[in-house]
Amino acid sequence: MVEAVADIGLIGLAVMGQNLILNMNDHGFVVCAYNRTTSKVDSFLENEAKGTNIVGAHSVEELCAKLKRPRKVMLLVKAGSAVDAFIDQLLPFLEKGDIIIDGGNSHFPDSIRRTKELEEKGILFVGSGVSGGEEGARFGPSLMPGGNPAAWESIKPIFQSIAAKAPDGAACCDWVGETGAGHYVKMVHNGIEYGDMQLITEVYQIMLEGLGLTHDEMAEVFAEWNKGELDSFLIEITRDILKYKDTDGEPLVTKIRDTAGQKGTGKWTGIDSLDRGIPVTLIGEAVYSRCLSSLKDERTRASKILKGPSPKFSGDKKAFIAQLGQALYAAKIVSYAQGYMLMRQAAKDYDWKLNNAGIALMWRGGCIIRSAFLGKIRDAYNNNPELENLLFDSFFADATAKAQDAWRNVVAQAVVMGIPTPALSTALNFYDGLRHEMLPANLLQAQRDYFGAHTYERLDAPGKWVHTNWTGRGGNVSASTYDA
Ligand code: NBP
């Protein structure tokens, strides 16, 4: 008879799994480790886990036998079929009320499906976003658990102890919402990460090409920004990257091929926003910018064919740098507002009760997008849990109003200099679109009705869809009215 000694089991002994186990051990939890290739269990126990309370298992059956009830098994394996395969292997050794947690980068529809399928079997499923990479996993990740709410009380003590802590000591982990909500929020988090990174790179290109600053001068600018409202992990590492020299004393960053990679979560966010009809334009532009960057050969040919202005700035550089900071800040506010709009729509579509303030707190520490700014988002949703749009919160409405002159000038100057600013400018266009009560979609509707008899709604008769015979030649039959 194997003794049930472990508080939690963890499957998947690659970088994330091993580090999370060590983190759990540090916080006083006994973890049982298992891996498909079982030699990795032995190697882990003999090396990284030596001298700890961590125990190992060489089969799924042994793993389950070593777990205290209700059993909690966390998977940190490659997303996709490996997760389903492990769930199938675990089921014969679990009983009603036991918990399976998937901490991998799973796509949220899989987590919705798994929550439902396992609920029918009496097993509680949790799909949890885990952010922060290797270091986060080891010393405090941002954790975004969602799924079957009945699992939360049992896993909460473990999750909140191992999670990163915000500067005020709060754990960067709270219950996100039902079914696929945890992985959905992680997906949006990754999309926002794409956006934040893109914004920083645009400001870098303006400073480099337009202002002609050296990398050390730019590092100084980022160092200053990191002391104020832009204080964040990404600004901090950008400062350090810009200062970093290659062996010949040149900035290393200038020697890196300018083609950006991507693993797909930004793309998922973009596709999802199109599916839901929510204009998450900044993340979309961030994904497309990576795509454009990867067309290096075509860009090289284009650079010799397509003409543009000389990207030289001829004004007060110091004042313009301050404006760049304001533009970055305002565009970042728009990006988070768009991300929250998307989560609001998904919550409506899936009937999730999303913890909006908690989400900002979960992103406040441990993850790549951690920043002081997220504390303000948490405050906004704490002040008004029903807040329709982040931009309507008085703090953010005032901040964008204050920054907008600088933001407009930065985008205008970049256009004049021919320096691309897809994220900075799409954010501004979104801001201007959102604040227009009247957009030119009236003309668009007229065009649709003109060529396709798609009908339009009259302002003076809401809900009444009519067709006009614009040319006098067509008939009076209209097309069906529906939105794709
Ligand atoms: P990997 O994503 O590299 O996955 C390695 C683990 O998956 C190993 O335990 C491996 O077992 C197992 N595995 C694979 Br690969 N295919 C399998 C299959 N068909 N059946 C069963 N097991 C299989 O590890 P990771 O980088 O630690 O990431 C783990 C999860 O966390 C992933 O979903 C990842 O996307 C996510 N994540 C990673 C990071 C990060 O910074 N790395 C951050 C946040 C989230 P084996 O040893 O037998 O091959």
Side-chain angles (χ1 to χ4, degrees):
M1 175 80 181
V2 178
E3 200 190 343
V5 288
D7 298 302
I8 185 165
L10 198 143
I11 300 180
L13 295 182
V15 60
M16 295 302 285
Q18 287 201 13
N19 282 296
L20 267 184
I21 293 173
L22 293 168
N23 184 352
M24 289 174 183
N25 177 75
D26 286 351
H27 286 88
F29 300 102
V30 176
V31 190
C32 183
Y34 175 70
N35 193 70
R36 176 182 63 169
T37 309
T38 51
S39 57
K40 289 191 188 166
V41 177
D42 301 320
S43 154
F44 179 58
L45 293 176
E46 283 159 22
N47 295 288
E48 295 84 352
K50 203 177 169 91
T52 67
N53 293 327
I54 298 163
V55 295
H58 291 85
S59 69
V60 167
E61 182 175 9
E62 186 191 350
L63 171 82
C64 293
K66 286 188 171 167
L67 300 179
K68 295 182 198 163
R69 271 97 167 142
R71 297 180 187 85
K72 295 170 268 305
V73 184
M74 186 161 185
L75 301 170
L76 270 152
V77 297
K78 194 174 161 206
S81 58
V83 174
D84 287 313
F86 269 123
I87 290 174
D88 287 344
Q89 287 180 51
L90 283 163
L91 282 176
F93 308 108
L94 297 181
E95 56 195 19
K96 282 193 177 15
D98 286 346
I99 299 164
I100 298 178
I101 307 155
D102 171 21
N105 261 342
S106 295
H107 199 193
F108 73 92
D110 287 333
S111 300
I112 294 177
R113 171 180 58 78
R114 288 169 185 146
T115 307
K116 290 181 181 159
E117 285 173 3
L118 287 171
E119 189 172 10
E120 285 163 15
K121 297 180 166 67
I123 304 296
L124 312 179
F125 179 79
V126 174
S128 179
V130 177
S131 180
E134 180 178 358
E135 176 136 342
R138 181 66 187 88
F139 299 110
S142 161
L143 295 170
M144 298 156 244
N148 194 321
W152 180 228
E153 278 313 308
S154 302
I155 65 167
K156 187 175 170 179
I158 303 179
F159 268 47
Q160 291 199 333
S161 350
I162 64 165
K165 304 292 175 297
D168 63 3
C172 295
C173 170
D174 204 347
W175 185 250
V176 177
E178 301 84 340
T179 65
H183 276 128
Y184 191 86
V185 165
K186 171 65 167 43
M187 176 190 78
V188 175
H189 158 282
N190 283 25
I192 285 179
E193 182 180 310
Y194 274 58
D196 279 358
M197 293 168 77
Q198 175 64 25
L199 286 170
I200 290 174
T201 62
E202 290 177 14
V203 168
Y204 164 66
Q205 191 170 13
I206 293 174
M207 287 196 274
L208 184 71
E209 286 187 17
L211 306 187
L213 299 193
T214 66
H215 282 74
D216 283 336
E217 286 169 337
M218 286 188 272
E220 282 302 310
V221 173
F222 278 93
E224 270 313 301
W225 284 349
N226 203 39
K227 292 177 193 156
E229 56 203 3
L230 287 167
D231 172 5
S232 63
F233 173 71
L234 282 168
I235 294 282
E236 185 185 318
I237 66 164
T238 304
R239 172 199 67 195
D240 296 345
I241 289 168
L242 293 173
K243 271 195 298 209
Y244 197 95
K245 305 286 187 296
D246 198 5
T247 43
D248 60 0
E250 292 298 311
L252 179 60
V253 68
T254 60
K255 301 187 176 180
I256 297 176
R257 187 175 154 92
D258 53 326
T259 56
Q262 47 181 322
K263 280 195 166 171
T265 39
K267 185 177 79 176
W268 285 353
T269 314
I271 293 172
D272 187 74
S273 73
L274 288 169
D275 284 341
R276 280 178 223 292
I278 300 297
V280 185
T281 61
L282 197 142
I283 296 174
E285 286 291 354
V287 176
Y288 285 132
S289 295
R290 291 194 188 195
C291 299
L292 183 60
S293 81
S294 67
L295 301 176
K296 174 79 176 172
D297 294 343
E298 192 169 340
R299 285 191 291 114
T300 302
R301 286 189 291 279
S303 70
K304 297 180 176 65
I305 300 168
L306 305 179
K307 302 282 171 256
S310 151
K312 285 287 166 272
F313 179 79
S314 58
D316 178 343
K317 278 193 195 176
K318 201 161 169 240
F320 192 68
I321 289 169
Q323 292 190 338
L324 277 176
Q326 289 287 290
L328 188 54
Y329 186 53
K332 187 171 157 129
I333 293 172
V334 165
S335 181
Y336 284 69
Q338 291 184 343
Y340 266 92
M341 286 170 73
L342 184 60
M343 293 191 288
R344 177 188 75 197
Q345 186 60 41
K348 207 164 145 196
D349 294 346
Y350 297 116
D351 204 18
W352 293 332
K353 285 174 285 304
L354 282 189
N355 174 0
N356 287 320
I359 290 166
L361 173 64
M362 282 174 252
W363 296 348
R364 178 80 178 83
C367 62
I368 307 301
I369 63 170
R370 62 184 179 261
S371 67
F373 163 88
L374 281 157
K376 298 289 183 196
I377 299 184
R378 184 196 49 187
D379 294 347
Y381 283 104
N382 271 338
N383 291 341
N384 178 8
E386 304 306 319
L387 184 66
E388 184 183 359
N389 190 306
L390 192 59
L391 288 162
F392 297 173
D393 172 74
S394 59
F395 175 83
F396 289 109
D398 290 349
T400 40
K402 198 169 135 258
Q404 67 165 315
D405 287 348
W407 187 15
R408 291 180 194 287
N409 190 44
V410 164
V411 171
Q413 291 286 336
V415 170
V416 170
M417 291 189 285
I419 298 174
T421 54
L424 284 168
S425 54
T426 197
L428 182 55
N429 278 312
F430 173 87
Y431 178 77
D432 282 335
L434 186 66
R435 63 180 194 83
H436 265 72
E437 187 182 350
M438 191 76 190
L439 284 172
N442 52 342
L443 175 57
L444 204 139
Q445 284 294 79
Q447 290 168 336
R448 294 179 70 236
D449 190 54
Y450 186 111
F451 65 69
H454 291 298
T455 72
Y456 57 88
E457 194 179 9
R458 289 187 62 97
L459 280 172
D460 55 6
K464 190 169 172 221
W465 292 84
V466 293
H467 167 59
T468 294
N469 185 347
W470 297 88
T471 60
R473 291 192 302 275
N476 287 320
V477 182
S478 59
S480 313
T481 303
Y482 56 86
D483 283 323

